[in-house]
Amino acid sequence: MEAFIDIFLLSLLGVTAIAVVMMRDLFGAVMLFGIYSLLSAAIFVTLDAVDVAFTEAAVGAGISTVLMLSTLALLPSRREKKPQHSPALPFFVVLITGTVLMYATFSMPHFGDPEAPIHQHVAPRYIKESPKEIGIPNMVTSVLASYRGFDTFGEVTVVFTAGIGVLTLIGNRRRKPKPGEREED
């Protein structure tokens, strides 16, 4: 049953990605990006990565969608301009990159393999030592807040900076005076 759900979600993810590429209405593309993020979050839930799913839903579907809609409000048109070049070269680059990435997955350890290198080095240390070193019973919290504290702080800084940038762009937009009104300095 889990395999059916995974295949179904991945199929929806693929259809959504193709729809985004084909979409010429920018508002529709932003909404499809939000749907794509929610589908990604659902896939993370099926993989038992609820913390990553929560982050994807909050940042991908929430904050990013709001920032893109705010940026879209600044644009004069909701339609994408016609491309001035042939899409053959970008398609070729994406095809080659995708092929290389798929080829690289063949050398990866199988999903959930307890003998995978990632499970042999740092994870056992975190499981054994984090309650003593950090004093927090939740291992995910201790890793994100302490061991990877600077990384988490950097991620928060990037999202905060993006939000401030969008607010600055929106704040610099001046209201056009109505006929008969004086423009204030």
Side-chain angles (χ1 to χ4, degrees):
M1 184 64 178
E2 282 185 37
F4 175 74
I5 292 172
D6 289 341
I7 291 170
F8 178 70
L9 288 173
L10 283 172
S11 300
L12 284 177
L13 203 64
V15 169
T16 305
I18 292 169
V20 167
V21 170
M22 303 301 288
M23 181 73 59
R24 296 291 171 240
D25 180 41
L26 297 177
F27 180 77
V30 169
M31 292 296 104
L32 285 173
F33 272 126
I35 291 169
Y36 187 91
S37 291
L38 287 176
L39 288 171
S40 297
I43 289 172
F44 288 134
V45 168
T46 64
L47 295 173
D48 292 330
V50 181
D51 54 331
V52 178
F54 178 74
T55 303
E56 177 63 32
V59 174
I63 294 171
S64 295
T65 302
V66 169
L67 293 177
M68 285 191 279
L69 286 174
S70 300
T71 304
L72 189 60
L74 298 173
L75 297 177
S77 172
R78 280 183 35 174
R79 301 284 302 169
E80 178 184 4
K81 292 181 181 179
K82 296 266 186 195
Q84 297 175 349
H85 55 79
S86 170
L89 179 62
F91 178 75
F92 182 71
V93 170
V94 167
L95 188 66
I96 295 295
T97 305
T99 304
V100 169
L101 288 173
M102 283 193 283
Y103 177 74
T105 61
F106 293 128
S107 64
M108 291 175 60
H110 292 291
F111 180 75
D113 181 11
E115 300 301 319
I118 188 70
H119 299 299
Q120 302 303 317
H121 178 59
V122 179
R125 183 182 178 285
Y126 285 163
I127 292 169
K128 185 178 178 185
E129 301 295 330
S130 70
K132 290 184 269 185
E133 290 180 352
I134 309 302
I136 299 173
N138 185 325
M139 192 177 352
V140 173
T141 303
S142 68
V143 169
L144 292 178
S146 183
Y147 295 120
R148 295 188 62 211
F150 286 116
D151 182 48
T152 304
F153 179 69
E155 292 168 1
V156 170
T157 303
V158 167
V159 172
F160 178 74
T161 305
I164 294 297
V166 169
L167 289 175
T168 302
L169 288 173
I170 292 172
N172 285 341
R173 196 170 128 184
R174 291 187 175 193
R175 184 180 68 87
K176 294 180 182 177
K178 294 179 184 176
E181 282 185 351
R182 286 187 345 174
E183 189 174 330
E184 296 179 17
D185 293 62

